[in-house]
Amino acid sequence: MSQQNLQDLNTLPVASLFWRYVIPSVAGMLVIGLYTVVDGVFVGRYVGAHALAAINLVYPVILLQVGLGAMISMGAATRISILQGAGKTQEARQALSNTILIITALGIILPLIGINQIETLLALLNADNDPAVRQEARSYLSIMLWGGLVTIGQMAVIYLVRNDGRPKFITYMVVIGGLSNIALNYFFVVILGWGLAGSASATLLVETLITLVGLIYFFSPFARLRIALKDLRPHWQSMPSMLGLGISSFLMEANLAFLLFAHNYQLLEYGKGSDVAAYAVAGYTEAVFILLIHGLALGMQPLLSHATGANQPQRLAQTLSYGLKVSLAISLALLAVVQFFPHTIAMLYAGKDQALIEAATNALRIHLFALPFDGAIIVGVIALQAMALTRLSMLGTLGKTLLLIPALWLIPLWWGVNGVYIALPLVNTVIGIMIAGVLWRELRHLKQASHTYSAA
C-alpha cells in the first residue's frame, strides 16, 4: 500500500473514506447481483418454472463452494489490511501468495470430488421428485462444479484488488463482466437454446475473464502489493491464522446453503415444485439485497481492519457507526419496494406465467419482511471479522442456524407453505436484535478507549 493511501486512511474524514471505498464495492456487488438477476430472468422467461426450481435445488452445493471462496478472500483481505496497517509489507505479500496457492488447489480438488459424486448430491437434494427438474439440475451443477476455480478466483480478485487501493479498477472490470453476462446469456439461452447449461456457461466465462485480469494485475507494475513467480511458495505457519479470520464468511455461506436446502425440502414436503420456483423468485430478489449490503460491509472492511491494526479506536467507532446507519437506511428503502411492488418483481422473472406470478408475489411479501434485521446481521458479522473479533461473528452466524432448524420444522405444521416462507424472517429478527446489541456494546468500548487514548 502506498504512503499516500496510508496517509489517507489515517487522516481523511471517515465519511469521505467510507464513500470512497463503499461506492465501488457496492457497485461491484450490484453487478454480481445483476449476474444473478439476469440468470433468473432468462431462465424463468425462456426455459420455465422447472428450470428456476432446478437452480434453487442445486444452489446449496454452489453456495458451499462460494463459502470456501469467501473464507479465503475475506481472511486474506483482513490479514493483508492488518499487516499493512502495522507496516509489515513482506508478511502481507506472503498472505497474498498463500491466497493464490490455496485457490488453485481448491479449484482442482473440488470439481474432481463433486463430479464423481453428482448423482449422490442430486439424490440428497431431493431432485428425484421431478425428472424434468433433475435433468436441468444435473446439467447446471456439472458445469458450475467444473468452474469452481474461477468462481472462487473472481471473489478473491474483487476483495484483494479493492484492498490494494484500486476499487475503481475492479469496479470497471465487474461492470464490463455484468454487461458481458447479459449478452452471453441471451446468446446461449435464447439464440442457441442451451437452457440452464447456457446460463451457467455465460456466468463462468465472465468469472474467468475477471479472475485472469486480477491475477495479471498482481504480477504487474500497477499493483501496490506486487508479487513475482518466485513468491508463489506456501507459508504454512501463516495459513491457519489467515483462514481463521475468514471462517465466519464460510459459515455464513454454509448457513445460507443449509437454509436453502431446508427450505427446498420443506416446500416439497408441504407444497410442490411451483412453490420451489416461487421461492426461487424471492431468493433472487433477496440475493440482490444481500449483495448490496454485503458490498457496503466489504467496503467498510479495509477501513475497519486498518484502524484495528493502527490502534485507532476513534476512527474505528466512527466508521462502524456510520456504516450501520447507512445500512439501516438502505434496508428500509428496499423493504418498502418489496412490500409495495411484489407483483411487478414477480413478473420480471415469470413473464406471463400467472400461477407463478401469484405464488411468487405471496413469497416475496412474506419471506422478505425482515430485511432491516438481515442487513444488521450481514454488516455486523463482517464488521466483527474485520475487527478480528472472529468468535463474536461466528456466534451470530451459528445462532441463526440453531434457531432456524426448529423454526422450519415446527412453523409449517400450522401454516404449511407460508410457514416455510415466514420461518427465516422471524429468526432474522431475533438474531438481528442480538447482533445489534453486540455492536452497541463494541461501540461503547471503542468510544471509551478513544477517550482514554486522547487523554494519554
Side-chain angles (χ1 to χ4, degrees):
M1 185 176 293
S2 70
Q3 289 299 317
Q4 182 61 51
N5 272 358
L6 286 173
Q7 184 177 353
D8 289 347
L9 287 169
N10 289 326
T11 61
L12 284 181
V14 166
S16 299
L17 276 173
F18 180 89
W19 291 113
R20 176 189 291 186
Y21 278 80
V22 164
I23 289 177
S25 179
V26 168
M29 284 295 175
L30 281 179
V31 175
I32 294 175
L34 182 62
Y35 293 0
T36 305
V37 171
V38 166
D39 289 350
V41 169
F42 277 102
V43 168
R45 285 177 171 267
Y46 297 103
V47 187
H50 65 284
L52 281 176
I55 291 179
N56 223 51
L57 211 59
V58 303
Y59 220 74
V61 178
I62 298 170
L63 280 173
L64 289 177
Q65 187 171 259
V66 170
L68 289 172
M71 177 180 71
I72 297 165
S73 304
M74 184 64 182
T78 302
R79 177 73 174 166
I80 289 170
S81 291
I82 290 175
L83 289 171
Q84 288 183 315
K88 300 179 180 179
T89 304
Q90 182 57 35
E91 287 88 341
R93 189 173 289 112
Q94 290 177 355
L96 179 58
S97 299
N98 274 345
T99 304
I100 295 173
L101 293 173
I102 293 171
I103 290 173
T104 302
L106 284 177
I108 296 171
I109 295 170
L110 290 179
L112 293 177
I113 296 173
I115 296 297
N116 187 52
Q117 298 295 323
I118 194 165
E119 296 301 327
T120 302
L121 290 172
L122 291 171
L124 289 173
L125 295 169
N126 213 14
D128 293 332
N129 277 357
D130 190 324
V133 171
R134 182 186 177 91
Q135 181 179 353
E136 294 281 7
R138 181 189 293 108
S139 173
Y140 186 79
L141 183 57
S142 297
I143 296 174
M144 294 303 291
L145 285 171
W146 279 119
L149 174 62
V150 293
T151 298
I152 297 174
Q154 178 196 233
M155 293 181 65
V157 164
I158 291 172
Y159 280 65
L160 296 175
V161 173
R162 186 200 68 242
N163 257 37
D164 200 50
R166 304 285 187 181
K168 290 183 180 179
F169 171 69
I170 197 60
T171 300
Y172 293 148
M173 282 304 306
V174 174
V175 169
I176 292 170
L179 296 174
S180 302
N181 190 45
I182 295 173
L184 290 171
N185 258 282
Y186 181 79
F187 182 68
F188 291 152
V189 177
V190 181
I191 303 298
L192 298 182
W194 287 1
L196 279 184
S199 183
S201 299
T203 298
L204 292 179
L205 281 174
V206 171
E207 291 177 349
T208 300
L209 171 66
I210 295 175
T211 301
L212 287 175
V213 170
L215 189 62
I216 292 170
Y217 167 81
F218 278 110
F219 285 92
S220 76
F222 300 102
R224 291 162 180 169
L225 187 66
R226 185 182 179 185
I227 58 174
L229 288 175
K230 64 180 181 180
D231 296 318
L232 291 180
R233 58 182 185 273
H235 302 274
W236 304 108
Q237 292 181 341
S238 62
M239 282 188 185
S241 61
M242 185 184 80
L243 295 177
L245 289 170
I247 190 66
S248 290
S249 289
F250 172 75
L251 291 174
M252 184 182 291
E253 298 297 335
N255 181 63
L256 290 174
F258 173 77
L259 301 185
L260 184 55
F261 166 78
H263 278 87
N264 289 336
Y265 186 91
Q266 289 293 79
L267 285 170
L268 290 173
E269 282 289 309
Y270 291 92
K272 48 190 177 181
S274 60
D275 295 308
V276 177
Y279 178 65
V281 173
Y284 277 119
T285 307
E286 184 181 25
V288 174
F289 165 76
I290 288 173
L291 286 169
L292 174 60
I293 299 298
H294 209 126
L296 184 148
L298 292 177
M300 295 166 56
Q301 177 266 316
L303 309 180
L304 294 170
S305 295
H306 177 84
T308 300
N311 192 24
Q312 298 171 336
Q314 184 176 10
R315 294 179 70 82
L316 191 57
Q318 289 173 347
T319 303
L320 181 57
S321 177
Y322 196 81
L324 289 170
K325 291 174 183 177
V326 173
S327 170
L328 179 60
I330 293 173
S331 300
L332 291 173
L334 292 180
L335 176 63
V337 172
V338 170
Q339 293 301 319
F340 287 116
F341 305 104
H343 189 268
T344 303
I345 296 172
M347 288 179 62
L348 178 66
Y349 298 92
K352 297 180 180 179
D353 188 337
Q354 291 300 319
L356 180 55
I357 290 172
E358 291 179 10
T361 298
N362 180 58
L364 284 162
R365 279 190 171 135
I366 297 176
H367 187 64
L368 302 182
F369 79 80
L371 290 181
F373 296 102
D374 202 6
I377 295 170
I378 295 169
V379 173
V381 167
I382 292 179
L384 290 169
Q385 280 182 267
M387 295 157 62
L389 299 173
T390 309
R391 291 184 180 178
L392 288 175
S393 65
M394 287 174 61
L395 287 175
T397 304
L398 293 174
K400 178 189 276 191
T401 303
L402 293 175
L403 285 179
L404 190 62
I405 293 172
L408 264 179
W409 190 264
L410 295 173
I411 297 176
L413 293 174
W414 295 285
W415 293 343
V417 169
N418 284 342
V420 180
Y421 293 148
I422 204 172
L424 180 59
L426 288 177
V427 170
N428 278 342
T429 301
V430 174
I431 298 297
I433 292 172
M434 292 172 59
I435 289 289
V438 171
L439 294 174
W440 178 258
R441 187 192 67 182
E442 290 302 317
L443 279 170
R444 289 180 59 192
H445 289 167
L446 288 170
K447 290 176 181 178
Q448 290 173 358
S450 64
H451 291 320
T452 303
Y453 184 81
S454 298

